[in-house]
Amino acid sequence: MAAPMNRQIVLAARPQGEPKETDFQFVEARMPEAVPAKMLLRTLYLSLDPYMRGRMSAGPSYAAPVEIDAVMGGGTVCRVEASQINEFAVGDIVEAYTGWQEFALSDGRSVRKLDPTIAPITTALGVLGMPGMTAWTGLMNIGQPKAGETLVVAAASGAVGSVVGQLAKLKGCRAVGIAGGERKCRYVVDELGFDACIDHRRGDFPDALKAACPKGIDINFENVGGPVFDAVLPLLNTFARVPLCGLIAHYNATELPAGIDRAPLLMRQMLTKRLTMRGFIVFDFASQQPDFLAEVGPLVRDGRIKYREDIVDGLENAPRALIGLLRGENFGKVIVRVSPEDQPG
Amino acid sequence: MAAPMNRQIVLAARPQGEPKETDFQFVEARMPEAVPAKMLLRTLYLSLDPYMRGRMSAGPSYAAPVEIDAVMGGGTVCRVEASQINEFAVGDIVEAYTGWQEFALSDGRSVRKLDPTIAPITTALGVLGMPGMTAWTGLMNIGQPKAGETLVVAAASGAVGSVVGQLAKLKGCRAVGIAGGERKCRYVVDELGFDACIDHRRGDFPDALKAACPKGIDINFENVGGPVFDAVLPLLNTFARVPLCGLIAHYNATELPAGIDRAPLLMRQMLTKRLTMRGFIVFDFASQQPDFLAEVGPLVRDGRIKYREDIVDGLENAPRALIGLLRGENFGKVIVRVSPEDQPG
């Protein structure tokens, strides 16, 4: 019998514009060897997130790019297969950042043990993980919602947007979502309880958004950019806040759009309306994770915050799933099932 | 002898682009008649400020535009000529907002009595008035300077910029000014004590600015916009703050510049560097005026904050002076002497 191999997906080429499947390569590497003070993790679930597009490019960002031929990075939920670390035992389920591969060694740093009795372990990659905490920290620290205000969030059926809107509702705000397609919009209103959700593919999208925000917009949780933001900007109220955590509409762009330079328009709006715009990533508020889990954990457990996962089976399907995510083809938090939960390592 | 008249300057036409002298009209109106519960003010000094350009246009801004044939608005230092208000007596010197005219009635609201023994009364329009408070509130509330950080401010020899940089120095920052011409730059360094000042007219301005900021920029007090901001943006450090209180480079623009749309670039910088940009006007922090005067008043009195005034003689010269201010032709805070201080009313 052949020795077990470690299935991985590495970055084969830096994408020009939208990534192609050939920008990724599926490889089988040697199994990592046990070493002192480390543990062997088997990936059960891999999170796919829009920020990964940025890591595929060489340009400067808040994190170093993935090197060519290196394993793609990513958040994971893993099972401990072997451990030489006191705090972790075989069979433990952990949240880690081991990337697009089946096995990895870890020294235990930045690894968090999960309690599977509290919530399904996949939530550590979504509503109770990085996306949920992005929603909570951006809304609380920057958005600063007050009862009676109007919040708008795009990608409203997605991992971040769905939590932003539900939290805003719990704070007494009017929550208006933006999503792609009627099916997602219905889910956002009927299941998640937003006050309205507008399909950005509608020809009259700016007018429909305006009609859904009769008192203007006080908080725009911005994770998309592009034409959606263009429709939001004129509706912002004086003293509106714009937490900015993503620009998925721009990620595949290879150059700046031609036409007029609207940077002066944006700055003029910021001045005359006294807007606050602040870019952030969830790690900027890392110390708030206990507060996040303490507030949002019970809300998820009690069903007051709902979530939806879009599970893709098999590591080999991750490239296509990421390409689809960047096109908005997913419906809910995209998670790749790499190994079955209930099968022994 | 003819009855005394009230000399005024009214808005004759809304400017297209740069204002022309014919956009203003000098008129002689009847003297305001004394009425109960009012006082008659004689303008000694009129403040000219960049925001006035915005009020001449019909577009939406944070304040209503000046109507055609209405007296141009503006901050003033006045002497009380007659009073039917208990709190104000003939001969009192006050800060008011009576606009481009020689006489005005006031009900005393938003009028502040000045103590001429503390500082020259012109300072109520500059270093201890709206521009100085703009500098202090924007720097303290939004810029949040920390010792060792680098601050950049444009229009550094002007009413706001000069105070921003001197305050930043007192907080332990490296203060880098930007100004138009070598003479202003020398003043900013030699007299105001900035660490450096770069002439934005230099052909190598972006490189010179970069060389003056070897550790990048942590605070950009933005009051200009345009090409100066374009040179600042790539130098901003992670977590930099951008208080935004003016865009003088844009005020005369009649349309957005052609070329590429750099709004996505600006937003991408805000995201990846986690910038905070916040538009504000001084009135947003009106309740902090006592704190401002308590901190900055003594600094001015002791000479630790210096200021420079550019006095223009005669109300009839105000239009030309405002046009020059928008071109950067002034050197220091522009104040129009409307009536002599020492001549009885």
Side-chain angles (χ1 to χ4, degrees):
Chain A
M1 189 179 117
M5 301 296 281
N6 185 15
R7 301 186 305 143
Q8 302 175 323
I9 292 178
V10 302
L11 181 63
R14 301 214 178 277
Q16 299 297 314
E18 186 176 48
K20 304 181 298 296
E21 290 202 57
T22 52
D23 294 329
F24 304 87
Q25 190 177 1
F26 187 93
V27 300
E28 296 205 329
R30 282 171 176 275
M31 279 291 291
E33 284 178 32
V35 292
K38 297 235 172 173
M39 58 180 166
L40 178 67
L41 300 179
R42 173 193 278 267
T43 310
L44 303 179
Y45 296 102
L46 164 68
S47 177
L48 295 187
D49 299 279
Y51 76 83
M52 291 170 168
R53 175 61 186 86
R55 304 280 174 94
M56 297 175 75
S57 293
S61 185
Y62 39 73
V66 177
E67 298 295 329
I68 296 292
D69 291 332
V71 175
M72 288 282 297
T76 52
V77 166
C78 300
R79 186 170 56 219
V80 178
E81 301 283 301
S83 176
Q84 299 198 36
I85 306 176
N86 285 338
E87 294 79 7
F88 296 95
V90 171
D92 280 353
I93 304 294
V94 298
E95 179 197 354
Y97 195 86
T98 52
W100 297 33
Q101 57 185 344
E102 205 171 0
F103 293 97
L105 289 179
S106 164
D107 60 8
R109 279 188 302 175
S110 304
V111 173
R112 182 170 68 97
K113 209 183 292 189
L114 301 177
D115 180 350
T117 66
I118 290 179
I121 60 176
T122 50
T123 59
L125 301 178
V127 66
L128 292 179
M130 186 270 285
M133 187 164 152
T134 297
W136 184 83
T137 55
L139 187 64
M140 296 303 142
N141 291 285
I142 305 171
Q144 301 179 9
K146 287 174 268 300
E149 291 191 326
T150 297
L151 167 135
V152 165
V153 63
S157 67
V160 175
S162 59
V163 177
V164 168
Q166 292 180 91
L167 284 172
K169 284 298 293 178
L170 291 170
K171 302 289 175 189
C173 294
R174 176 174 175 82
V176 176
I178 298 169
E182 273 309 308
R183 184 163 158 253
K184 287 179 180 174
C185 286
R186 273 199 306 276
Y187 165 76
V188 166
V189 172
D190 295 347
E191 299 293 321
L192 301 182
F194 283 44
D195 296 284
C197 188
I198 312 298
D199 181 357
H200 64 78
R201 298 172 183 164
R202 288 171 58 159
D204 65 343
F205 167 66
D207 292 336
L209 182 65
K210 185 175 184 179
C213 303
K215 294 197 285 186
I217 298 171
D218 302 293
I219 305 171
N220 172 46
F221 194 104
E222 185 54 54
N223 50 3
V224 169
V228 168
F229 180 70
D230 295 343
V232 165
L233 185 59
L235 303 178
L236 291 174
N237 289 331
T238 300
F239 299 122
R241 288 82 67 197
V242 183
L244 170 63
C245 73
L247 290 167
I248 194 170
H250 306 177
Y251 288 169
N252 284 334
T254 52
E255 56 185 18
L256 292 168
I260 54 172
D261 181 6
R262 291 181 304 169
L265 174 70
L266 175 57
M267 290 182 73
R268 180 151 186 86
Q269 291 274 308
M270 295 199 63
L271 174 62
T272 58
K273 292 182 178 174
R274 290 101 97 192
L275 307 180
T276 298
M277 185 179 285
R278 178 173 164 191
F280 76 102
I281 58 173
V282 64
F283 309 115
D284 298 339
F285 303 106
S287 66
Q288 297 178 4
Q289 193 186 37
D291 303 318
F292 159 66
L293 291 172
E295 179 171 344
V296 181
L299 294 170
V300 171
R301 195 183 54 224
D302 301 346
R304 298 182 68 195
I305 288 194
K306 299 189 176 70
Y307 62 96
R308 180 182 178 110
E309 294 170 343
D310 189 337
I311 305 281
V312 175
D313 257 307
L315 180 62
E316 65 279 10
N317 293 316
R320 168 127 303 278
L322 181 63
I323 293 166
L325 169 63
L326 293 168
R327 290 179 183 163
E329 293 173 357
N330 60 304
F331 189 179
K333 166 64 200 165
V334 181
I335 295 173
V336 179
R337 183 186 283 119
V338 177
S339 310
E341 260 187 66
D342 51 2
Q343 182 181 302
Chain B
M1 190 175 117
M5 302 295 281
N6 186 15
R7 302 184 305 142
Q8 302 175 321
I9 292 179
V10 303
L11 181 63
R14 301 213 179 278
Q16 299 298 314
E18 185 176 49
K20 304 181 299 294
E21 291 201 58
T22 53
D23 295 329
F24 304 87
Q25 190 177 3
F26 187 94
V27 301
E28 296 205 330
R30 282 172 174 272
M31 277 293 289
E33 284 179 31
V35 293
K38 296 235 175 175
M39 59 180 166
L40 178 66
L41 300 179
R42 173 192 277 266
T43 309
L44 304 179
Y45 296 102
L46 164 67
S47 178
L48 295 187
D49 300 278
Y51 77 84
M52 291 170 167
R53 175 62 185 86
R55 305 282 174 91
M56 298 175 75
S57 293
S61 186
Y62 40 73
V66 177
E67 299 296 330
I68 296 291
D69 291 333
V71 176
M72 287 283 296
T76 52
V77 166
C78 300
R79 187 171 52 220
V80 178
E81 301 283 301
S83 176
Q84 300 197 37
I85 306 176
N86 285 339
E87 295 78 6
F88 296 95
V90 170
D92 280 352
I93 304 295
V94 298
E95 179 197 354
Y97 195 87
T98 53
W100 297 32
Q101 57 186 341
E102 205 171 2
F103 293 97
L105 289 178
S106 165
D107 60 9
R109 280 187 302 175
S110 303
V111 173
R112 181 170 70 95
K113 208 182 292 190
L114 300 177
D115 180 350
T117 65
I118 288 180
I121 60 177
T122 50
T123 59
L125 301 178
V127 65
L128 292 179
M130 186 270 286
M133 187 164 152
T134 298
W136 184 84
T137 55
L139 187 65
M140 296 301 141
N141 291 283
I142 305 171
Q144 301 179 9
K146 286 173 269 301
E149 291 190 327
T150 297
L151 168 135
V152 165
V153 62
S157 67
V160 175
S162 61
V163 178
V164 168
Q166 291 179 90
L167 285 172
K169 284 298 294 178
L170 291 169
K171 302 289 175 188
C173 294
R174 175 174 175 84
V176 176
I178 299 169
E182 274 308 307
R183 183 163 158 251
K184 287 179 181 174
C185 286
R186 272 200 305 277
Y187 165 76
V188 167
V189 172
D190 295 346
E191 298 295 320
L192 301 182
F194 284 45
D195 296 283
C197 189
I198 312 297
D199 181 358
H200 64 78
R201 298 170 184 166
R202 286 171 59 159
D204 65 344
F205 167 66
D207 292 335
L209 182 64
K210 184 175 183 179
C213 303
K215 295 197 285 185
I217 299 171
D218 302 293
I219 305 170
N220 172 46
F221 194 104
E222 185 55 54
N223 50 5
V224 169
V228 168
F229 179 69
D230 295 344
V232 165
L233 184 58
L235 303 179
L236 291 174
N237 289 331
T238 300
F239 300 122
R241 288 82 66 196
V242 182
L244 170 64
C245 75
L247 290 167
I248 194 170
H250 306 177
Y251 288 169
N252 285 333
T254 52
E255 55 186 18
L256 292 169
I260 54 173
D261 180 6
R262 289 180 304 169
L265 174 71
L266 175 57
M267 291 182 74
R268 180 151 186 85
Q269 291 273 308
M270 295 198 64
L271 174 61
T272 58
K273 293 182 178 174
R274 291 101 98 192
L275 307 179
T276 298
M277 184 180 285
R278 178 173 164 189
F280 76 102
I281 58 174
V282 65
F283 309 116
D284 298 339
F285 303 105
S287 66
Q288 298 178 5
Q289 193 185 38
D291 303 318
F292 159 66
L293 291 172
E295 179 171 345
V296 181
L299 293 171
V300 171
R301 194 186 51 223
D302 301 346
R304 299 182 67 195
I305 288 193
K306 300 188 173 71
Y307 62 97
R308 181 182 177 108
E309 294 171 342
D310 188 339
I311 305 279
V312 175
D313 256 305
L315 180 63
E316 65 280 9
N317 293 317
R320 168 124 308 275
L322 180 62
I323 293 166
L325 170 62
L326 293 168
R327 291 178 183 164
E329 293 174 356
N330 60 304
F331 189 178
K333 166 65 200 162
V334 181
I335 295 173
V336 179
R337 183 185 283 119
V338 177
S339 310
E341 260 188 66
D342 51 1
Q343 182 181 298

